[in-house]
Amino acid sequence: MSYITFNNIEIPGITVCVPTEKVCNRELKEFTKEEIEKFIKVTGVEYRRIAAKEVTTLDLGYRASLDLIEGLKLEKEEIDAIIFVSQTPDYILPASAIILQDKLGLPKSTLAFDVSLGCSGYVYGLFIAASLVQNGTLKNVLLVSGDTVSKTISPKDKTMAMLFGDACSATLIRKGTSDIYFSLNSDGGGKDHLIIKDGGFRNPMTMSSFETYMWEDDNERADCHLYMNGLEIFNFTLREVIQDAKNLFNESGISKDDISYFVYHQANKFMNSYISKYLKLKEESTPESLLEYGNTSSASIPLTICSKLTVEELVGKRILLSGFGVGLSWGHCIIDEPKLTYLNLLEL
Amino acid sequence: MKKEEFLDNIIELLDVDEKITFDTLLKQLDDYDSFALLSIAAYIHKELHVQFKASQLQEIESINQLIQLIGNDKFE
């Protein structure tokens, strides 16, 4: 595990953009009523926002970025870097961050690159942004983080089709007066537990990639679809994520009692409730957006902040963010005080 | 923990109508699915501090087998 502390950072604003189309899990025809009710009871997901065919993660991120720039009254020339964290980019190449630089009309001097991470991606993105700012050369870094995971899922997969929603966030990181403590980790030994097998250069897409078949877990999907071994991911969370939070408390010297909000990646209610119970966290300190938005990958932390907390509620508050998932990859950060002045949630 | 208490707790977790004993074939229960396995994994982690691979838990046929996997030393 890697522990890193940054001083003099602030996060003045976050905007999240979700698709307009709201899907109600109870209205899905692919599953029986019993299957749906059981799923909702375990995962807590009743509604999700699903991107239209022509809307991509980049489109959602573009809208979120525009709103954030306007909300923080920034000049476009003031943004020095874009980090685009996603596993659903517009193209295999070029990188979405570079396309976004042009769409936003940012100067060509902008540093722009993509990071291929999922549910841990927001915490990693903050770490990279803080690293760039800490150096002192770059003043404002735009972190764009999100996914349109719904586009990768078999509609007949009862473990996945009702779980994931689409969203993308934009967050500004700049020089300030707060400290941020990070713990970041990886375990590629678990790569097969959450994977899209075909479509990269290991297994290029062929006609058979689209042929659905019944998998061992009794779900019908193709090799171009996202697969998750839920039990292994849960095991990983028990084994690594809970301990990592405890380790960061020890390393930073900050007690969990000194943290006002614990914003966890919104994996599913069962998992998040277990983490909360195990760490003995109060319900009012663990906001959740699962019911309305489902699991939104690397947008779930900022989406939970923007939909469940206000600027006023976060004034002077220390918060913990926790991201974990595909890779396997996981990380925590404790932000002494984000110094947020702008939060917004919009639709596209 | 006594084995009988463990059995009662697993029965409560599974929340099924059928009568369950140490030897009941779990996979024949209507509601024994991936969510049931998740509940069992969480319970044995919290109460007995043990963890197993998904494949090990998926192979479990009965609560007796689960007890053997966990190890008799964890029980009175």
Side-chain angles (χ1 to χ4, degrees), chain B residues 29-43:
Chain B
L29 301 172
D30 286 343
D31 288 330
Y32 191 73
D33 54 15
S34 56
F35 294 138
L37 276 173
L38 270 183
S39 300
I40 290 174
Y43 173 74

Side-chain angles (χ1 to χ4, degrees), chain A residues 115-188:
Chain A
V115 175
S116 176
L117 285 171
C119 305
S120 66
Y122 190 70
V123 176
Y124 268 81
L126 287 178
F127 164 73
I128 299 165
S131 312
L132 296 176
V133 170
Q134 186 81 38
N135 177 277
T137 313
L138 306 180
K139 292 191 169 48
N140 292 295
V141 176
L142 182 63
L143 167 64
V144 181
S145 173
D147 271 307
T148 45
V149 180
S150 71
K151 293 174 190 282
T152 71
I153 287 171
S154 161
K156 292 178 179 172
D157 185 340
K158 60 179 175 291
T159 63
M160 305 286 272
M162 293 185 275
L163 182 62
F164 286 94
D166 301 329
C168 193
S169 62
T171 303
L172 196 85
I173 296 92
R174 69 183 174 202
K175 198 101 177 152
T177 55
S178 291
D179 294 342
I180 307 185
Y181 311 85
F182 285 94
S183 174
L184 302 165
N185 313 266
S186 316
D187 177 11

